[in-house]
Amino acid sequence: MRGYHDIGGSLSGPIPRTELPWLDWEKRVEAIRNLLGDSTRRVISLDEMRRGFESFGPEKYRTLSFYRRRLEAMIDILEEKGVLTRAELAAAVENSVQEPGET
Amino acid sequence: MAERDTTDPCPLPLRTAYTAQEALVVEDDAGNAEAARITTILEGILVTKGLLAKGEADQEIEKIETPGLHLGARLVARAWVDPDFKNRLLADGKLAAAELGMKVGEAQLVVVENTPDVHNLIVCTLCSCYPRSILGQPPSWYISKTYRSRAVREPRTVLHEFGLDIPEAVRVRVHDSNADMRYLVLPMPPAETVGRHEIDLAGLVSRDMLIGTAVLQR
């Protein structure tokens, strides 16, 4: 069966000819993945990243932007490997949002 | 090397209509702000856990921002003036790039030569594999679902939409990249290269020529 990412060959509509800028957070996602995948760490390989977003299910794959897919896949794999949990990350994000008001 | 005969009927879903938004999903301001926050926090956690050093991601960002058209253009210009280098480039892109001090991070760089008989086009249907260590970040349209799906099915129509009409007599060869194998097109040189400086020749090369969606007007 073809996976939802395996889209080569369908006639699918116009190609958007936009040239979007590469955003800072997108570069950071790429940088973090590169570092986690380097030969000294070997925590997340490119193939694992692909397996990550190819296991999202079609809905999530369809609605997330390119780098958001990579970010979410990276978090999934880090959770799988016991490096962190989604709950831990969510709590830290929540704290960071509240902090400015508390000080 | 992935080569598909575009006249061959293949058992694929013929039409998957993507809306413009689906073809290239773009975050809105709130989405970007959220993603930026998560990324920063994630980096902090990874630093705390000792997987990343502080500031390491910033150094890596500088590294991934450095490659770009200038590197690809230098490879092409050298190949245009030096036939021996061209042969080495076509034989092993990674080794040849190393001669000019360029480090190809990917496992393989396969350089494909445009000739009067063959026009090459690069795509990655499964993902968005691209010779990043030579050309940097791919253009937005390259990662769009519509380019990924159509380039292997109707390359001449796609090229026409990019303003490029390839004569029927010229064969169009489409190369589907993957995580380990990245392609780069070697465009045809200008009519006259003798006596021209490599640096001037490099200035003629565009990013799209190296993907195959443009050619040098000769």
Side-chain angles (χ1 to χ4, degrees):
Chain A
M1 198 187 105
R2 280 166 75 99
Y4 52 81
H5 63 283
D6 187 3
I7 59 177
S10 55
L11 302 174
S12 52
I15 295 164
R17 292 291 298 282
T18 40
E19 302 269 349
L20 299 171
W22 200 12
L23 302 175
D24 286 347
W25 73 265
E26 298 177 327
K27 291 177 192 170
R28 194 161 297 273
V29 166
E30 191 71 7
I32 294 172
R33 207 303 301 171
N34 284 358
L35 292 169
L36 291 179
D38 73 10
S39 56
T40 59
R41 274 161 278 225
R42 294 183 180 278
V43 179
I44 302 182
S45 74
L46 258 189
D47 294 325
E48 281 176 306
M49 279 285 277
R50 280 196 44 202
R51 198 256 301 155
F53 52 73
E54 288 165 10
S55 318
F56 276 166
E59 262 311 292
K60 196 167 168 185
Y61 184 84
R62 194 173 59 81
T63 48
L64 296 181
S65 70
F66 181 77
Y67 282 101
R68 191 63 194 262
R69 287 202 299 261
R70 292 168 99 83
L71 173 60
E72 295 299 326
M74 193 154 69
I75 296 168
D76 285 346
I77 295 162
L78 288 170
E79 187 164 42
E80 253 178 48
K81 298 201 167 182
V83 173
L84 50 76
T85 65
R86 283 237 171 223
E88 178 187 358
L89 180 64
V93 170
E94 186 65 24
N95 279 337
S96 77
V97 177
Q98 281 168 3
E99 263 167 24
E102 288 169 353
T103 51
Chain B
M1 196 178 293
E3 186 179 335
R4 296 187 190 180
D5 181 346
T6 53
T7 60
D8 191 20
C10 44
L12 304 178
L14 188 59
R15 251 169 224 290
T16 312
Y18 293 116
T19 62
Q21 165 68 5
E22 284 169 348
L24 184 66
V25 181
V26 179
E27 302 284 339
D28 58 14
D29 289 349
N32 278 321
E34 182 185 64
R37 203 156 52 229
I38 295 172
T39 307
T40 307
I41 300 293
L42 175 66
E43 183 189 350
I45 292 177
L46 293 171
V47 169
T48 307
K49 293 184 189 275
L51 274 171
L52 297 180
K54 219 172 174 181
E56 207 179 6
D58 293 295
Q59 287 170 9
E60 180 66 19
I61 287 173
E62 264 179 53
K63 217 186 280 176
I64 59 180
E65 277 182 326
T66 309
L69 171 61
H70 59 285
L71 296 182
R74 261 183 74 205
L75 284 176
V76 166
R78 174 64 60 87
W80 281 347
V81 297
D82 180 347
D84 291 335
F85 179 78
K86 183 178 107 174
N87 290 338
R88 294 198 295 279
L89 184 66
L90 294 173
D92 186 333
K94 193 170 177 167
L95 270 181
E99 287 181 36
L100 302 191
M102 301 177 201
K103 188 179 182 310
V104 174
E106 294 89 9
Q108 272 194 73
L109 179 68
V110 180
V111 180
V112 288
E113 183 185 18
N114 282 351
T115 69
D117 303 316
V118 176
H119 179 83
N120 294 285
L121 180 67
I122 310 296
V123 65
C124 174
T125 63
L126 291 174
C127 182
S128 56
C129 300
Y130 188 73
R132 281 178 181 256
S133 50
I134 297 292
L135 294 182
Q137 156 86 351
S140 307
W141 52 260
Y142 185 87
I143 67 177
S144 74
K145 294 192 178 85
T146 37
Y147 180 75
R148 285 168 49 196
S149 58
R150 290 177 56 211
V152 289
R153 183 69 176 233
E154 44 175 15
R156 287 175 192 271
T157 310
V158 167
L159 289 173
H160 174 76
E161 289 170 23
F162 277 82
L164 188 58
D165 288 304
I166 303 295
E168 279 303 318
V170 176
R171 188 157 190 207
V172 174
R173 212 172 257 170
V174 182
H175 304 270
D176 196 354
S177 319
N178 61 45
D180 300 319
M181 204 187 297
R182 315 292 171 111
Y183 292 94
L184 190 74
V185 173
L186 174 59
M188 277 199 281
E192 197 52 73
T193 53
V194 178
R196 293 187 70 169
H197 284 293
E198 221 174 298
I199 254 180
D200 298 335
L201 291 171
L204 301 175
V205 179
S206 75
R207 177 199 65 198
D208 288 6
M209 288 177 201
L210 304 180
I211 303 174
T213 52
V215 294
L216 184 63
Q217 296 308 319
R218 309 176 85 220

